[in-house]
């Protein structure tokens, strides 16, 4: 299991950091109301697990729905822009400019317009993740080597065949990188949207824990959301592994 | 016979290729030789229907006196760069041209599989290009080109990335494959040894603007070619190319 061997140094460092945190809290006798030790956080997480799971479920739902929809929209948009150069030239500056807006700051507006249901949160996730996905797709399309395109055209291929047989495979690694970035953004955006107004979700859980001065519960929810992001990244990795033997480079092949 | 007449290629600011005419005969190898940057690839790309954006060409192509529009299924093109798709296996790469021309995946596969052996690719069907040596990749690229129905092959420096020993082997090997499946070949090369060894005719191009300055038949039969009976032609070619340099 080379994976475990690779992970050992990381795990050791993480354990050392947690241990130092634990030691500091115990030796300096910091009040657990200010900085709970990792063991306190763990205990709080376990005590409140039923409620936490409920809120986690709400967050997972928003994240997954938003992420999936965003992926579909980004792909469709990328294809339209790819085949309509004038539209791409016209739209790209606007899309880039739109990124100067701190989109998560729109969360209160979403609540104002669309209430406390699924819609405003999913919209926010889409707004936040759409652009990185679109950009990774378009720059992936731009990487097509001229020789690949020439090869296909000389064989009599039309633009759609070139796109399907060469442009998409070439864009794949960049798109996956874009998805990984977006997965992180998606969790953050969901929590922010819940923060701005929700009945359930890790965001609202954190908010109410804070209002009750429960730093241990805040940290427990933070740990859970970090785990959620890791899980998403892991799923993406798995999907990549399952579908992409042919796309992996050099040394990976033998294993 | 495939005839190219009056081919002129311009970029925005200069004349790249000026009034190039030549003919390719079936079963014959024509080598196109000339200094780097003289426009060899541009000529071949134009004839393959893939002239880069930003270049404008005029000129006509006739196949047996019938005017052709480009790209045409009558020619199969092998680009200068190694253009095997890294995400396709060797068999899939070889079958690509057949699939693009409308054959089903399984049909195309069944067509190329029995050919792998003769191309020195036996047992490699399911491997990826990165797992093969440079010589094997070139053979796979050539297989992909030659299984296409075109009566003419345009090969842009097929061996230039290979080491000297592999290259010698590949030259002999190419002639054998062409004996089995005769085609008219236009092969671009830098190498006048390669040109005189393989060609039935050598076209010499000069640069700035690219134009054909000599059209030299190589008469000794390929099997009987030696250093001695090619020496004279090589001297002529070398002096033509050197003239170019100064
Ligand atoms: N898209 C383009 N726009 C403008 N000029 C170009 C373009 N493509 C090629 N050229 C120019 O055309 C000239 C001929 O290029 P070409 O690739 O045909 O030369 P070549 O003889 O094949 O060279 P080499 O032996 O190095 O492969 C070069 O001077 C190059 O700078
Ligand atoms: Mg060239």
């Amino acid at each position: 299991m080379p994976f475990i061997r690779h992970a050992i140094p990381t795990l050791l460092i993480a354990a050392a950091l947690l241990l130092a945190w634990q030691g500091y809290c115990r030796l300096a006798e910091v009040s657990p109301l200010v900085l709970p030790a990792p063991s306190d956080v763990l205990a709080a997480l376990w005590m409140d697990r039923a409620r936490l799971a409920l809120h986690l479920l709400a967050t997972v739902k928003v994240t997954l729905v938003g992420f999936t929809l965003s992926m579909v929209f980004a792909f469709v948009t990328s294809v339209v822009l790819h085949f309509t150069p004038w539209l791409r030239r016209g739209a790209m500056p606007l899309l880039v400019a739109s990124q100067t807006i701190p989109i998560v700051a729109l969360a209160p507006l979403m609540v104002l317009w669309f209430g406390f249901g699924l819609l405003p949160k999913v919209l926010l996730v889409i707004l936040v993740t759409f652009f990185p996905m679109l950009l990774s797709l378009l720059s992936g399309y731009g990487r097509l080597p001229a020789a690949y395109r020439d090869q296909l055209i000389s064989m009599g291929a039309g633009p759609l065949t070139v796109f399907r047989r060469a442009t998409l495979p070439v864009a794949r690694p960049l798109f996956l990188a874009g998805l990984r970035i977006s997965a992180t953004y998606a969790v953050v955006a969901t929590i922010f949207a819940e923060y701005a107004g929700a009945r359930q979700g890790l965001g609202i859980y954190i908010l109410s824990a804070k209002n009750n001065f429960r730093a241990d519960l805040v940290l427990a929810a933070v740990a859970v959301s970090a785990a959620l992001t890791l899980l998403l990244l892991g799923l993406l990795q798995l999907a990549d592994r399952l579908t992409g033997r042919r796309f992996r480079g050099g040394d990976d092949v033998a294993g | 016979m495939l005839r190219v007449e009056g081919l002129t290629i311009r970029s925005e600011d200069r004349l790249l290729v000026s009034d190039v005419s030549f003919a390719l005969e079936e079963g014959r190898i024509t080598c196109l030789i000339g200094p780097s940057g003289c426009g060899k690839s541009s000529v071949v790309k134009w004839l393959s229907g893939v002239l880069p954006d930003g270049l404008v060409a005029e000129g006509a192509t006739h196949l047996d006196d019938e005017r052709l529009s480009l790209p045409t299924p009558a020619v199969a093109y092998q680009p200068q760069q190694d253009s095997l798709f890294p995400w396709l296996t060797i068999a899939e790469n070889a079958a690509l041209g057949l699939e693009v021309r409308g054959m089903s995946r399984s049909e195309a596969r069944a067509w190329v599989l029995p050919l792998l052996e003769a191309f020195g690719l036996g047992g490699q069907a399911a491997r990826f290009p990165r797992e093969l040596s440079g010589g094997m990749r070139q053979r796979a690229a050539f297989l992909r080109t030659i299984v296409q129905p075109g009566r003419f092959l345009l090969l842009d420096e097929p061996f230039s990335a290979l080491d000297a020993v592999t290259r010698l082997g590949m030259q002999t090997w190419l002639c054998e494959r062409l004996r089995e499946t005769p085609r008219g070949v236009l092969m671009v090369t830098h190498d006048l040894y390669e040109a005189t060894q393989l060609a039935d005719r050598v076209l010499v191009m000069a640069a700035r603007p690219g134009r054909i300055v000599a059209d030299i038949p190589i008469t000794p039969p390929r099997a009987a070619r030696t250093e001695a009976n090619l020496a004279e032609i090589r001297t002529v070619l070398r002096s033509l190319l050197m003239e170019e340099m100064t």
Side-chain angles (χ1 to χ4, degrees):
Chain A
M1 288 296 266
F3 168 75
I4 292 183
R5 208 168 341 114
H6 281 307
I8 284 177
T10 316
L11 291 176
L12 283 180
I13 294 173
L17 286 174
L18 285 174
L19 215 65
W21 176 2
Q22 180 82 28
Y24 173 73
C25 290
R26 285 289 171 266
L27 294 176
E29 294 178 3
V30 188
S31 155
L33 290 179
V34 180
L35 181 66
S39 59
D40 301 332
V41 174
L42 216 62
L45 200 156
W46 184 248
M47 290 287 289
D48 210 23
R49 60 186 182 279
R51 216 159 60 85
L52 207 48
L54 213 67
H55 288 282
L56 172 64
L57 212 64
T59 302
V60 168
K61 195 161 124 194
V62 173
T63 307
L64 286 186
V65 172
F67 190 73
T68 312
L69 283 178
S70 185
M71 200 155 70
V72 173
F73 289 153
F75 182 72
V76 172
T77 312
S78 76
V79 175
V80 171
L81 291 184
H82 179 70
F83 283 105
T84 335
W86 65 267
L87 194 62
R88 186 175 63 229
R89 276 194 300 276
M92 276 319 278
L94 291 177
L95 282 167
V96 171
S98 76
Q99 291 311 291
T100 59
I101 302 171
I103 294 173
V104 284
L106 295 180
L109 208 57
M110 296 285 143
V111 175
L112 211 61
W113 288 345
F114 304 108
F116 292 87
L118 200 60
L119 180 65
K121 299 180 194 67
V122 166
L123 268 180
L124 195 77
V125 172
I126 292 175
L127 281 177
V128 168
T129 55
F130 174 80
F131 186 76
M133 289 194 204
L134 179 67
L135 202 67
S136 66
L137 278 168
L138 287 177
S139 43
Y141 298 164
R143 291 234 178 141
L144 178 66
Y148 293 1
R149 190 200 51 212
D150 290 354
Q151 181 72 80
L152 285 169
I153 292 178
S154 76
M155 290 166 170
L160 268 180
T161 307
V162 173
F163 184 72
R164 198 172 55 82
R165 301 294 314 238
T167 313
L168 276 183
V170 165
R172 184 190 144 102
L174 262 188
F175 179 50
L176 282 172
L179 283 186
R180 279 193 284 274
I181 294 173
S182 297
T184 315
Y185 288 0
V187 176
V188 174
T190 308
I191 291 177
F192 222 90
E194 291 162 353
Y195 220 81
R199 289 187 199 91
Q200 274 187 343
L202 289 175
I204 208 73
Y205 181 94
I206 291 174
L207 196 64
S208 72
K210 183 214 87 175
N211 289 341
N212 295 321
F213 299 100
R214 290 291 306 269
D216 53 346
L217 289 183
V218 172
L219 283 171
V222 168
V224 166
S225 50
L228 172 59
T229 308
L230 282 178
L231 183 75
L232 258 181
L233 292 177
L235 285 177
L236 284 174
Q237 185 80 17
L238 187 70
D240 181 20
R241 291 244 143 208
L242 289 181
T243 59
R245 188 176 105 77
R246 55 178 61 240
F247 295 97
R248 271 202 302 285
D251 42 68
D252 241 318
V253 172
Chain B
M1 182 133 95
L2 184 77
R3 280 184 301 120
V4 169
E5 272 151 26
L7 171 61
T8 297
I9 302 178
R10 272 177 243 281
S11 73
E12 228 156 78
D13 52 355
R14 68 193 178 96
L15 183 62
L16 296 182
V17 170
S18 165
D19 196 21
V20 162
S21 303
F22 59 88
L24 302 180
E25 288 172 78
E26 261 144 308
R28 296 291 168 108
I29 301 178
T30 305
C31 277
L32 182 60
I33 190 167
S36 187
C38 70
K40 305 182 294 294
S41 291
S42 302
V43 168
V44 169
K45 283 183 188 167
W46 174 76
L47 194 50
S48 313
V50 295
L51 197 69
D53 297 333
L55 300 186
V56 191
E58 45 191 287
T61 320
H62 294 268
L63 178 61
D64 309 329
D65 297 320
E66 200 173 315
R67 176 115 191 202
L68 280 182
S69 64
L70 303 170
T72 160
V75 306
Y77 166 58
Q78 186 175 325
Q80 185 167 350
Q81 297 84 352
D82 176 2
S83 68
L84 291 177
F85 292 179
W87 59 88
L88 296 182
T89 63
I90 294 305
E92 289 165 342
N93 263 297
L96 184 67
L98 299 173
E99 277 186 49
V100 168
R101 293 215 182 277
M103 221 183 245
S104 77
R105 184 161 299 199
S106 51
E107 240 182 316
R109 196 181 159 75
W111 186 287
V112 299
L113 278 183
L115 299 174
L116 289 176
E117 194 66 50
F119 278 69
L121 297 166
Q124 312 294 328
R127 302 185 78 181
F128 289 94
R130 61 178 170 268
E131 304 172 277
L132 268 53
S133 71
M136 288 164 116
R137 277 203 296 272
Q138 277 306 330
R139 288 199 289 269
F142 185 64
L143 173 57
R144 164 157 102 181
T145 313
I146 206 170
V147 293
Q148 294 174 52
R151 290 154 57 189
F152 295 90
L153 308 181
L154 311 180
L155 312 176
D156 197 346
E157 304 203 20
F159 306 138
S160 61
L162 301 178
D163 63 272
V165 179
T166 314
R167 177 191 288 228
L168 280 179
M170 290 288 293
Q171 289 165 359
T172 328
W173 174 87
L174 177 77
C175 292
E176 280 166 21
R177 295 287 86 68
L178 286 172
R179 244 200 332 271
E180 295 160 8
T181 335
R183 303 288 172 86
V185 174
L186 177 66
M187 179 170 148
V188 175
T189 173
H190 273 116
D191 180 347
L192 68 89
Y193 283 85
E194 185 168 279
T196 44
Q197 201 59 52
L198 293 179
D200 297 291
R201 259 172 64 216
V202 178
L203 304 172
V204 183
M205 252 180 112
R208 263 171 278 272
R211 62 201 184 280
I212 291 176
V213 287
D215 181 343
I216 300 173
I218 315 273
T219 38
R222 219 164 269 128
R225 289 181 190 180
T226 60
E227 290 299 320
N229 64 12
L230 291 177
E232 197 183 335
I233 288 172
R234 282 181 181 156
T235 312
V236 173
L237 283 173
R238 193 172 299 118
S239 65
L240 277 168
L241 288 170
M242 290 311 274
E243 219 172 278
E244 274 306 298
M245 295 295 165
T246 50

